[in-house]
């Protein structure tokens, strides 16, 4: 089966302050990486605008309106010390939602085997009614709710290997017995959540905090022994990946020592479970990754794995 790649030029128009790590160059680095000849068979589509209906399955209407109203006509305004809005931010965020929904539609319908969405701003720190950590709307959460509501998916699993804990995704699904959230992340590190004891109301939150300096071997052992057995037991109808690449050793915002090969390995491990349990259905959404070279190489390895190369 083929791999669908979704992005949109409007995601470049989400401007952040000079020197901010979450910048448009990140998306350009991903685009250059996926222009290589070996990715010629990628199915490429531009992300549509996401609907309010899809967003409101996760975020209250008043929150969405507040983000829209706060979006400036010029310049940059700050939601907090890390998270900014510019004239193009709201459309960029809607394109991220649209990518998540379109990818889920295509994968759940069996028209493609899996999908990778490269949009910005990222999403996994966005809580139900709180933007933070560079994030406005929680794209993976929106994809999960869309899969359940529009496609009848009984259970959805989200695996998050971004170096920062996805506090927003955890917040949204804390009380949901039908969504499994699994995260590996450095701790202590922003946002300060993600302790192993944080398990959710129905034991569907699986946090695997990693100490600074964690290397490939330790990461893979944690993934194999703490994440994959829970995923296998859950028997999801769809697996969604919060694909952050800032656990790479080159990344300036964290202190783990992974390589691009580790992300490809993790992708293949998830694909094996998806193949055995849910017809290979995987939707992957770009999250962090702030060293451009590491981001490009890690994304390339991730997408190669999705394509079965």
């Amino acid at each position: 089966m083929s791999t669908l790649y979704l992005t949109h030029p409007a995601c470049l128009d989400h401007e952040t302050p000079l020197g901010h790590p979450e910048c448009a160059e990140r998306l350009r680095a991903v685009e250059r990486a996926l222009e290589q000849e070996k990715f010629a068979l990628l199915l490429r589509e531009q992300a549509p605008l996401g609907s309010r209906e899809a967003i409101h399955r996760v975020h209250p209407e008043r929150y969405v309106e507040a983000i829209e109203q706060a979006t400036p006509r010029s310049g940059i305004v700050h939601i907090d010390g890390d998270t900014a809005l510019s004239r193009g931010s709201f459309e960029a965020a809607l394109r991220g939602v649209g990518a998540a929904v379109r990818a889920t539609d295509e994968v759940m319908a069996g028209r493609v085997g899996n999908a990778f969405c490269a949009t910005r701003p990222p999403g996994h720190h966005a809580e139900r009614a709180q933007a933070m950590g560079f994030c406005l709307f929680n794209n993976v959460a929106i994809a999960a709710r869309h899969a359940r509501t529009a496609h009848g998916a009984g259970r959805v699993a989200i695996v998050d290997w971004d170096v920062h804990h996805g506090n927003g995704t955890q917040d949204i699904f804390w009380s949901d017995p039908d969504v499994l959230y699994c995260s590996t992340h450095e701790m202590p590190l922003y946002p300060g959540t993600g302790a192993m004891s944080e398990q959710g109301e129905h034991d569907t939150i699986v946090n695997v905090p990693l100490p600074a300096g964690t290397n490939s071997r330790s990461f893979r052992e944690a993934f194999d022994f703490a994440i994959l057995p829970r995923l296998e037991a859950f028997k999801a109808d769809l697996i969604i990946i919060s694909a952050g690449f800032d656990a790479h050793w080159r990344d300036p915002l964290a202190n783990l020592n992974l390589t691009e090969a580790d992300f490809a390995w993790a992708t293949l491990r998830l694909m094996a479970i998806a193949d055995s349990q849910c017809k290979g259905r995987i939707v992957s959404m770009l999250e962090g990754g702030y060293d451009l070279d590491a981001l490009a190489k890690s994304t390339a390895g991730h997408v190669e794995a999705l394509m079965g190369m």
Side-chain angles (χ1 to χ4, degrees):
M1 293 290 285
S2 53
T3 296
L4 174 63
Y5 171 55
L6 286 155
T7 188
H8 198 280
C11 294
L12 298 170
D13 296 332
H14 168 56
E15 297 178 13
T16 53
L18 184 65
H20 196 286
E22 206 298 285
C23 60
E25 281 304 312
R26 297 180 63 240
L27 210 54
R28 294 189 179 100
V30 168
E31 282 284 290
R32 288 192 295 269
L34 298 183
E35 285 172 356
Q36 299 175 70
E37 185 177 351
K38 61 186 174 182
F39 296 112
L41 294 180
L42 264 182
L43 296 178
R44 300 169 187 264
E45 289 188 15
Q46 291 200 344
L49 288 169
S51 69
R52 302 299 176 107
E53 178 186 9
I55 302 171
H56 293 161
R57 293 186 185 118
V58 170
H59 300 290
E61 184 176 357
R62 65 184 182 279
Y63 168 74
V64 179
E65 291 176 351
I67 294 294
E68 184 175 24
Q69 291 169 8
T71 302
R73 294 189 176 183
S74 62
I76 293 173
V77 298
H78 290 267
I79 294 175
D80 59 27
D82 299 315
T83 312
L85 290 170
S86 69
R87 182 175 181 175
S89 297
F90 194 73
E91 180 179 346
L94 290 181
R95 297 290 179 182
V97 171
V101 170
R102 175 69 172 169
T104 302
D105 285 342
E106 294 300 288
V107 169
M108 291 301 295
R111 290 186 287 268
V112 298
N114 53 53
F116 174 66
C117 305
T119 60
R120 55 180 291 275
H124 74 150
H125 291 308
E127 299 182 346
R128 289 182 184 87
Q130 180 65 55
M132 60 183 289
F134 314 159
C135 303
L136 303 178
F137 301 141
N138 196 308
N139 297 318
V140 296
I142 290 168
R145 286 271 165 84
H146 181 72
R148 300 203 66 234
T149 302
H151 295 281
R155 291 185 153 198
V156 177
I158 300 169
V159 178
D160 185 340
W161 63 55
D162 190 282
V163 80
H164 303 95
H165 180 244
N167 60 291
T169 312
Q170 175 172 290
D171 168 70
I172 290 161
F173 295 115
W174 184 263
S175 303
D176 192 331
D178 297 312
V179 177
L180 178 72
Y181 175 67
C182 302
S183 174
T184 59
H185 47 274
E186 183 180 340
M187 195 172 188
L189 195 67
Y190 180 91
T193 54
M196 196 174 294
S197 60
E198 297 169 19
Q199 299 176 351
E201 288 188 13
H202 302 280
D203 195 27
T204 51
I205 305 292
V206 182
N207 285 311
V208 185
L210 304 171
T214 292
N215 60 19
S216 295
R217 179 179 177 181
S218 296
F219 166 76
R220 294 187 186 201
E221 287 177 351
F223 210 78
D224 265 339
F225 293 108
I227 300 291
L228 297 184
R230 292 295 303 274
L231 191 61
E232 288 177 339
F234 190 71
K235 301 188 185 306
D237 297 305
L238 170 69
I239 296 174
I240 301 173
I241 303 173
S242 268
F245 299 111
D246 40 8
H248 194 282
W249 68 270
R250 291 178 58 103
D251 200 273
L253 298 191
N255 308 283
L256 298 190
N257 291 318
L258 305 192
T259 70
E260 50 268 27
D262 294 314
F263 301 116
W265 172 88
T267 306
L268 292 172
R269 297 291 278 166
L270 296 181
M271 290 175 69
I273 293 176
D275 286 343
S276 68
Q277 295 191 347
C278 57
K279 301 180 181 179
R281 292 190 287 249
I282 289 178
V283 170
S284 177
M285 304 288 301
L286 179 66
E287 299 284 3
Y290 305 102
D291 178 273
L292 298 182
D293 183 64
L295 174 61
K297 290 177 179 177
S298 298
T299 300
H302 177 54
V303 175
E304 283 182 41
L306 289 174
M307 295 177 70
M309 297 170 63

